[in-house]
Amino acid sequence: MKNEKIRLRELREEKNLTQLQLAKELGFSRNTISQYETGTREPDIKTIKKLCDFFDVSADYLLGFKEF
């Protein structure tokens, strides 16, 4: 999910959050966020929903299917 890792990092940086800050907000480890951003790990559907809710974006946007 190449686009997803790019969108996640962009969304996080737009909110001026570090990986650690985002991880704490969502109840994950910093390493998990890092793995999502680098593409070494893919989030499950519950995590995608959590990310979408947090950033107030659609799954289509997060996953790179739509621009907004």
Side-chain angles (χ1 to χ4, degrees):
M1 290 186 195
K2 185 179 180 203
N3 289 334
E4 179 183 304
K5 68 181 179 184
I6 294 169
R7 288 273 166 82
L8 178 56
R9 183 176 180 172
E10 288 174 359
L11 289 166
R12 178 179 59 78
E13 289 176 346
E14 283 175 12
K15 286 193 173 253
N16 294 314
L17 295 171
T18 65
Q19 288 179 344
L20 182 59
Q21 290 169 323
L22 178 59
K24 285 183 178 182
E25 284 286 329
L26 298 174
F28 304 137
S29 71
R30 189 211 56 82
N31 190 47
T32 297
I33 299 298
S34 176
Q35 289 174 334
Y36 292 157
E37 289 186 2
T38 60
T40 57
R41 181 176 178 180
E42 293 184 359
D44 61 19
I45 192 70
K46 281 177 57 177
T47 301
I48 290 170
K49 182 172 179 355
K50 203 172 201 181
L51 290 167
C52 289
D53 289 346
F54 181 81
F55 289 111
D56 194 27
V57 297
S58 69
D60 283 344
Y61 179 80
L62 181 69
L63 299 174
F65 298 124
K66 288 191 177 180
E67 286 303 310
F68 43 83

